[in-house]
Amino acid sequence: MKYKKASDVKVGVIGYGGAFNMGRHHLNEMKKAGMVPTAVAEIDPERLKVADQDFPGIERYATVSEMLRKSSVDMLAIITPHNTHAKLAIQCLKAGRHVVCEKPFAITTAECDAMITEARKHKCVLSTYHNRHWDGNVMQAVKVIGSGAIGRVVRIECHMGSWGQPRDWWRSSKSISGGVLYDWGVHLLEYSLQIAKSEVTEVNGFAHTGFWASKTRWKKDTTEDEGFAVVRFKSGTMLTLCISSIASKGYESWVDFTGTKGAYIMRGGDYDLITHNGTDIVKTTGANPPSEGWKLYQNVADHLVKGKPLVITPEWARRPIHILDLANQSAKTGRALCAKYG
Ligand SMILES: NC(=O)c1ccc[n+]([C@@H]2O[C@H](COP(=O)([O-])OP(=O)(O)OC[C@H]3O[C@@H](n4cnc5c(N)ncnc54)[C@H](O)[C@@H]3O)[C@@H](O)[C@H]2O)c1
């Protein structure tokens, strides 16, 4: 192993944005796993100043090229708008740096495949920041559903949204974000794929556009008012994903699992388990355990130092993107599309 201990791994971030202070969050999580915050690349000089306040003396660069030329940083987290992930990841991998790309891994399957090829070629670690893999709600769902409490899982329904004009930020641009399904949709899919372990065979996508478009700064490039995907798995399980800005009714839950013997309703903070005792319906509500997203960088550090298996492999991160990519294409062509290594 190249690294004897986690503190041998010098880490940096690309993008130190202000929306959720994710650059600071990543560097703190990497530090918690024992790695050493070393460099920041950010095109906004004001945000570079904030990085210096948060991590005094940290190397600061106005471009990724300059960082790769001058810094000996070993691993980079890419925390930029979605349409930049693939290009920046490939640039870093070509320079021999390990990469943890924020979710979504990329926008298209072709981008994912190009990133995976580059990582293999340069023998670099490539992962995605699927910190929500360790959210309390999904860990609890995996435990309860995995125990057989609802029988065989037949249907998974993922949904999120409300009624309201898309916010004035890059997430509301289709060409930058990938579309309405790519932000929270990728989290909900990654949760669901932990339970529907089977291969994806087919995806049908639907989109409604144009209701909000004229009112936003992005006009025709505004994300869909609502995106919808229907996914068929080899096992026979089906999944739907709906993310909407025209959902007047709203959604009470995040993911609903219907099994042969019961149902599991997953929310952010708690869950319902609905089962049957003869003709009686038995409903229990429980609290989700605390989330453990810090395990992501702990696993990455253990992988680099001790050779432990990587949990969020690029092949794993490709799965939800392939669904979203097919849903996008299907919505355009108006017919279902077959999955390739789903
Ligand atoms: N995992 C999570 O829970 C979670 C939470 C929030 C955001 N995210 C993800 O993090 C990513 C960033 O989102 P955000 O909300 O932090 O956005 P943001 O707009 O706050 O920050 C993005 C930053 O990237 C910078 N940037 C853009 N192009 C760059 C380049 N070529 N080189 C250097 N810097 C560049 C911008 O100047 C900006 O400061 C997205 O992929 C988003 O989905 C994930």
Side-chain angles (χ1 to χ4, degrees):
M1 286 289 151
K2 187 178 166 197
Y3 309 102
K4 290 205 165 61
K5 49 190 187 315
S7 59
D8 291 340
V9 186
K10 285 178 272 177
V11 291
V13 295
I14 297 175
Y16 204 84
F20 300 97
N21 266 317
M22 289 305 285
R24 182 192 301 163
H25 170 78
H26 275 257
L27 288 175
N28 280 331
E29 294 272 286
M30 290 159 150
K31 196 172 157 186
K32 193 168 166 177
M35 299 181 282
V36 184
T38 303
V40 177
E42 165 61 65
I43 53 176
D44 176 351
E46 290 306 311
R47 293 303 303 171
L48 268 186
K49 281 188 205 157
V50 177
D52 190 44
Q53 282 158 15
D54 292 343
F55 297 90
I58 197 161
E59 294 171 24
R60 280 162 290 139
Y61 302 98
T63 67
V64 174
S65 309
E66 189 195 357
M67 175 196 256
L68 294 174
R69 230 179 20 252
K70 295 184 180 165
S71 178
S72 60
V73 64
D74 301 291
M75 185 175 83
L76 290 159
I78 298 173
I79 321 169
T80 54
H82 305 167
N83 65 337
T84 64
H85 289 182
K87 185 171 161 274
L88 291 172
I90 288 171
Q91 189 181 356
C92 296
L93 292 165
K94 280 193 164 140
R97 316 304 165 99
H98 307 298
V99 169
V100 176
C101 193
E102 253 297 355
K103 48 57 57 173
F105 189 34
I107 293 179
T108 66
T109 317
E111 284 178 337
C112 297
D113 290 341
M115 291 156 87
I116 293 170
T117 301
E118 216 59 51
R120 286 183 187 151
K121 194 163 145 193
H122 297 279
K123 297 190 171 46
C124 289
V125 171
L126 174 62
S127 184
T128 298
Y129 194 65
H130 271 305
N131 56 331
R132 289 185 176 277
H133 185 85
W134 289 270
D135 270 0
N137 55 4
V138 72
M139 290 194 295
Q140 186 66 13
V142 167
K143 192 166 136 192
V144 176
I145 297 171
S147 75
I150 65 167
R152 188 182 139 76
V153 178
V154 173
R155 176 160 40 93
I156 304 174
E157 292 159 277
C158 309
H159 34 240
M160 205 168 263
S162 56
W163 190 93
Q165 185 178 324
R167 280 178 64 181
D168 186 15
W169 59 357
W170 60 258
R171 280 175 173 75
S172 308
S173 154
K174 168 94 177 155
S175 59
I176 300 176
S177 70
V180 71
L181 294 177
Y182 275 78
D183 192 18
W184 263 97
V186 80
H187 286 307
L188 300 184
L189 285 178
E190 203 269 341
Y191 287 157
S192 304
L193 291 169
Q194 295 184 50
I195 286 158
K197 294 202 179 94
S198 169
E199 208 176 298
V200 173
T201 56
E202 185 189 72
V203 178
N204 217 336
F206 303 82
H208 187 277
T209 56
F211 180 71
W212 293 117
S214 65
K215 300 175 184 70
T216 84
R217 66 190 263 216
W218 306 106
K219 304 297 174 207
K220 280 190 174 160
D221 186 40
T222 303
T223 45
E224 306 88 327
D225 302 315
E226 177 168 291
F228 197 93
V230 184
V231 182
R232 188 190 297 275
F233 290 88
K234 202 173 183 176
S235 61
T237 299
M238 66 96 81
L239 175 150
T240 60
L241 168 68
C242 180
I243 307 286
S244 181
S245 60
I246 49 166
S248 302
K249 183 172 75 70
Y251 295 103
E252 185 261 336
S253 59
W254 292 12
V255 186
D256 300 348
F257 298 90
T258 299
T260 46
K261 295 184 191 165
Y264 187 95
I265 313 301
M266 183 174 124
R267 290 181 289 268
D270 63 1
Y271 67 92
D272 295 331
L273 172 64
I274 302 163
T275 53
H276 305 272
N277 185 4
T279 52
D280 291 344
I281 292 176
V282 184
K283 181 173 159 183
T284 33
T285 299
N288 295 321
S291 297
E292 298 177 343
W294 54 269
K295 283 192 171 168
L296 188 140
Y297 276 124
Q298 188 58 59
N299 173 250
V300 169
D302 287 345
H303 179 65
L304 287 168
V305 176
K306 302 175 190 160
K308 278 200 180 171
L310 191 65
V311 176
I312 309 296
T313 62
E315 293 78 12
W316 172 256
R318 179 193 186 276
R319 296 197 70 200
I321 303 305
H322 192 39
I323 293 174
L324 295 175
D325 188 11
L326 291 176
N328 240 337
Q329 292 178 46
S330 163
K332 270 190 217 140
T333 56
R335 54 190 180 83
L337 296 172
C338 291
K340 229 180 178 182
Y341 326 114

